[in-house]
Amino acid sequence: MKQNIFDIYITAAFSLIIPITGRMAFGLVTIVELNILVFFTFGFSYLLNFLDIDDLRTISPMIFMVFLAVFLQCLLKIFFPIVAFSMGFSQYLICFSALAIGTLFPHSEKISFKSQFKSLLSLMLPMSIILFCFFALRDVLGYGTLTLPGPWGIMEIKCFRGFDGIPFFASIPFTFICVGLLAALFDFIRTKVIILHRSTD
Amino acid sequence: MITSYVFFYYIFCISTCLISGVGLQQTFFFSKNLDKFASTIVTCFFVSTITVIAMWLTAVPLLCPYGLGDLIPIFAFLFVLLLSKILNIFFMSFFSKSITGIALSTIIVLFALSEANSLLVAMCFVLICLISITIIVLLQFVLQNRILITDAPEFLKRTSLLLISTGIIILLLHSWSISWLNLEDLK
């Protein structure tokens, strides 16, 4: 992965992890919404490519993504009203993170739909797993629970008896430090992989 | 009316950039390269202020009474897009430079509209967001330059130490208030 792509990828991930409340219920909603936005917009962009509509190729996927985000927000308000109310403004951040990931979309007519879809999946799958792990970790350490979104709020599953969590672990400063350590780990692995590739060449 | 206490509270103590995530994504790109930062902030100020005024005077009174307030983000985004395109034509013809910041302007407008209860407060929130982003970008730019001259391993220098330092900055900003006595505040 090139340095600028890696930077966009990391910043898109942590701009979601940091401001959204550190509970697994909100994390699950975020992951589902992000994936829907990214994959549907990718489909829409591919359709524009397929129909040879060149004039709208840059703007219309962005507009489509915002339309879809508002539609998803309405659905969230219907099915999980308290989760939607709690997330508030941060729901729009998902849309703009998806827009940043959108700049990494493989736009080319020469590459087949299948291979474009595969490369997008290879971008989104690790990101979803990282997001899920982060939200679950913050939930367990910060509150001592695992949570799921429900129609009357969030359903809590107690993890350990007698452990109510340490609030600092669910806080934003701790998340910054954690994301920093994760970025260091990724950078370390990336550097090693680059060295390995060069040595084999 | 927004008081000076609230104004500074939103800039420093619960920085809109670090806590609410307004422009957080962009700050990490600008912390490495300040080239387009000033033009982006000035453009965002004009675009966001005009959009907030336009939305408050047209979309809010037209949509909110009928329960269609959820559609405001679409109109705000379309308005920002239109205004940015017009400004882009102007900048390209006079300065031969393109402008950026459509996403940042839209996030600021949506934040201002969701937090404010009057037009003046909404415009204050636009200003608060931009000041908050400017402070964080300048802080991170200085930090990044300091990090680059240290002997730390290369993989720590790129993003990691900057993120950890930002986490510590939030702790310092929070120490300004007595929020340490109330850990619930940090959740």
Side-chain angles (χ1 to χ4, degrees), chain A residues 149-187:
Chain A
W152 310 113
I154 51 173
M155 294 182 285
E156 287 188 345
I157 305 157
K158 198 93 179 147
C159 289
F160 310 105
R161 200 171 286 171
F163 176 69
D164 290 332
I166 302 159
F168 179 71
F169 290 130
S171 71
I172 290 169
F174 175 76
T175 317
F176 260 107
I177 294 164
C178 260
V179 175
L181 294 174
L182 187 79
L185 181 74
F186 277 165
D187 246 338

Side-chain angles (χ1 to χ4, degrees), chain B residues 102-121:
Chain B
I102 293 172
L104 184 60
S105 305
T106 315
I107 292 175
I108 291 171
V109 168
L110 295 181
F111 182 77
L113 290 175
S114 63
E115 292 281 317
N117 56 3
S118 72
L119 177 59
L120 206 62
V121 176

Side-chain angles (χ1 to χ4, degrees), chain A residues 3-4 6-8 10-12 14-15 18-19 21 58-59 62-63 66-67 70 73-74 77 89-90 92-93 96-97 99-101 142-143 167-168 170-173 176-181 183-185 187-188 190-191, chain B residues 18-25 28-29 32 69-71 73-74 77-78 81 85 102-104 106-108 110-112 114-115 140 154-156 158-164 166-168 170-171 174 180 183-184 186-187:
Chain A
Q3 182 62 43
N4 59 342
F6 178 76
D7 282 347
I8 293 170
I10 285 285
T11 45
F14 77 66
S15 64
I18 292 160
T21 316
T58 49
I59 291 175
M62 289 164 78
I63 296 171
V66 175
F67 267 86
V70 170
Q73 199 185 336
C74 292
K77 276 182 182 168
F89 166 76
S90 49
Y92 301 119
L93 295 174
F96 290 100
S97 272
L99 268 179
I101 298 165
Y143 303 90
F168 179 71
S171 71
I172 290 169
F176 260 107
I177 294 164
C178 260
V179 175
L181 294 174
L185 181 74
D187 246 338
F188 181 72
R190 206 178 64 88
T191 322
Chain B
L18 295 175
I19 307 290
S20 306
V22 180
L24 186 65
Q25 210 172 329
F28 280 86
F29 290 111
K32 286 169 186 166
D70 288 337
L71 296 176
I74 295 172
F77 181 71
L78 291 175
L81 212 59
K85 285 286 161 195
I102 293 172
L104 184 60
T106 315
I107 292 175
I108 291 171
L110 295 181
F111 182 77
S114 63
E115 292 281 317
Q140 284 183 345
E154 204 58 39
F155 65 91
L156 282 175
R158 285 201 195 103
T159 328
S160 159
L161 278 177
L162 188 66
L163 284 165
I164 294 168
T166 313
I168 294 162
I170 299 177
L171 292 178
H174 265 281
W180 276 115
L183 283 173
E184 293 288 317
L186 279 171
K187 278 183 184 178

Side-chain angles (χ1 to χ4, degrees), chain A residues 46 106-116:
Chain A
Y46 189 82
H107 293 292
S108 179
E109 289 167 7
K110 291 171 188 169
I111 310 168
S112 68
F113 179 81
K114 204 177 167 183
S115 56
Q116 284 187 40

Side-chain angles (χ1 to χ4, degrees), chain B residues 40-114:
Chain B
T40 307
I41 286 291
V42 172
T43 318
C44 279
F45 175 71
F46 283 114
V47 172
S48 308
T49 312
I50 295 168
T51 312
V52 161
I53 294 169
M55 288 299 116
W56 202 272
L57 296 177
T58 56
V60 173
L62 282 174
L63 298 173
C64 287
Y66 302 103
L68 297 170
D70 288 337
L71 296 176
I72 290 174
I74 295 172
F75 289 100
F77 181 71
L78 291 175
F79 197 86
V80 167
L81 212 59
L82 181 75
L83 214 57
S84 300
K85 285 286 161 195
I86 294 167
L87 274 176
N88 209 9
I89 294 165
F90 173 78
F91 267 75
M92 283 300 275
S93 55
F94 284 95
F95 305 106
S96 306
K97 275 182 181 174
S98 63
I99 56 158
T100 50
I102 293 172
L104 184 60
S105 305
T106 315
I107 292 175
I108 291 171
V109 168
L110 295 181
F111 182 77
L113 290 175
S114 63

Side-chain angles (χ1 to χ4, degrees), chain A residues 77-125:
Chain A
K77 276 182 182 168
I78 293 166
F79 293 109
F80 308 116
I82 295 169
V83 173
F85 179 72
S86 307
M87 285 182 81
F89 166 76
S90 49
Q91 286 173 73
Y92 301 119
L93 295 174
I94 304 168
C95 175
F96 290 100
S97 272
L99 268 179
I101 298 165
T103 57
L104 310 176
F105 283 168
H107 293 292
S108 179
E109 289 167 7
K110 291 171 188 169
I111 310 168
S112 68
F113 179 81
K114 204 177 167 183
S115 56
Q116 284 187 40
F117 187 80
K118 265 186 185 172
S119 59
L120 190 61
L121 201 66
S122 67
L123 275 176
M124 290 310 295
L125 198 66

